[in-house]
């Protein structure tokens, strides 16, 4: 159900580019099984193969790294929406509200030059807000071949994802340039999102 008079943009950060990156990591025998399950309409069994053999061993950090490295088109689209004042206010979300949503919020706050410790505290605050649905989420994760820790917010997640960006792309601006979200777009985002914070009390 969609609320009238609200503009929706449906962008899946774990879309086709992300899926292809994961499929490339599968052994040929597992890939054949996955394709067979999908052909039979058994999507749950196919997802379990991908979850248990690829996503689970790589953990939450690996999941974020894969999205950063492969979901560049989707991430750029999201950041472009957030940069435009005419789109504000903006609500962005995913299933749990901490992984894909957390990655977008992480990149947004990095662009705004928010300190890493503040970003980390913001990310970890999500865990207590998700407690009421944690058990249900854990059951869903197990069906996908994932362990209960995928329902948590790792205290090292922000620092480790930032480290991956620095080691792989040289800097946060270097990564953003790589995906096409250049300095002019970053300046626009800062101007539009920080203008109300510069007013005197």
């Amino acid at each position: 159900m969609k609320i009238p008079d609200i503009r929706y943009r449906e962008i899946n950060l774990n879309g086709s580019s992300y899926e292809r990156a994961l499929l490339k990591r599968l052994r040929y025998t597992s890939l054949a099984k996955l394709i067979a399950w999908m052909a039979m309409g058994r999507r749950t069994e196919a997802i379990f193969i991908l979850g248990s053999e690829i996503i689970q061993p790589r953990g939450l950090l690996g999941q974020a790294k894969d999205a950063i490295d492969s979901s560049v088109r989707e991430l750029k689209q999201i950041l472009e929406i957030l940069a435009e004042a005419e789109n504000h206010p903006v609500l962005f979300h995913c299933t749990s509200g901490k992984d894909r949503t957390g990655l977008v919020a992480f990149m947004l706050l990095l662009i705004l030059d928010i300190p890493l410790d503040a970003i980390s505290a913001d990310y970890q605050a999500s865990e207590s807000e998700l407690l009421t649905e944690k058990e249900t989420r854990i059951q869903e994760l197990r069906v996908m071949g994932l362990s209960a820790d995928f329902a948590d917010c790792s205290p090292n997640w922000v620092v480790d994802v930032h480290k991956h960006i620095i080691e792989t792309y040289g800097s946060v601006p270097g990564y953003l340039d790589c995906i096409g979200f250049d300095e002019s777009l970053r300046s626009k985002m800062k101007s539009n999102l920080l203008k109300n914070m510069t007013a005197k009390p």
Side-chain angles (χ1 to χ4, degrees):
M1 185 181 75
K2 292 184 177 180
I3 303 171
D5 302 320
I6 291 181
R7 286 183 296 166
Y8 287 82
R9 291 291 300 275
E10 297 178 3
I11 302 171
N12 186 1
L13 199 58
N14 290 355
S16 58
S17 298
Y18 176 83
E19 291 174 353
R20 284 195 299 270
L22 296 187
L23 290 173
K24 287 178 181 178
R25 296 178 183 273
L26 277 175
R27 294 172 298 172
Y28 289 124
T29 52
S30 297
L31 180 59
K33 289 178 183 177
L34 184 147
I35 293 171
W37 283 128
M38 291 297 289
M40 291 186 285
R42 304 283 291 274
R43 189 171 184 271
T44 300
E45 287 84 352
I47 290 174
F48 184 87
I49 292 173
L50 206 56
S52 60
E53 295 190 18
I54 303 300
I55 300 175
Q56 174 63 40
R58 293 179 59 71
L60 280 172
L61 177 59
Q63 187 179 38
K65 288 180 179 180
D66 290 336
I68 285 171
D69 296 340
S70 61
S71 302
V72 294
R73 180 175 59 87
E74 293 86 353
L75 187 54
K76 180 191 176 187
Q77 288 178 322
I78 294 168
L79 292 176
E80 286 175 339
I81 291 169
L82 294 173
E84 294 293 339
E86 66 181 29
N87 294 325
H88 299 167
V90 178
L91 168 67
F92 56 92
H93 66 90
C94 60
T95 304
S96 295
K98 71 175 185 70
D99 298 321
R100 287 166 291 180
T101 299
L103 186 58
V104 171
F106 166 74
M107 293 305 307
L108 171 62
L109 294 173
L110 282 179
I111 293 168
L112 299 180
D113 298 321
I114 304 301
L116 274 186
D117 57 349
I119 300 175
S120 184
D122 180 68
Y123 171 72
Q124 291 177 64
S126 299
E127 188 155 338
S128 60
E129 298 297 324
L130 294 168
L131 282 176
T132 55
E133 59 184 62
K134 186 171 183 178
E135 287 305 315
T136 301
R137 182 59 180 154
I138 288 173
Q139 293 175 20
E140 294 171 347
L141 289 167
R142 285 174 178 157
V143 171
M144 295 187 288
L146 304 176
S147 58
D149 59 337
F150 274 77
D152 298 332
C153 295
S154 168
N156 299 321
W157 187 89
V158 165
V159 172
D160 289 342
V161 174
H162 181 261
K163 181 181 178 182
H164 170 71
I165 292 173
I166 301 303
E167 290 180 346
T168 309
Y169 302 93
S171 65
V172 173
Y175 171 72
L176 294 166
D177 286 339
C178 182
I179 71 171
F181 195 74
D182 60 25
E183 178 58 35
S184 64
L185 290 169
R186 300 196 292 270
S187 295
K188 179 190 289 187
M189 175 180 279
K190 289 180 182 180
S191 175
N192 289 333
L193 292 177
L194 298 178
K195 60 184 177 183
N196 293 328
M197 297 178 62
T198 57
K200 294 182 179 179

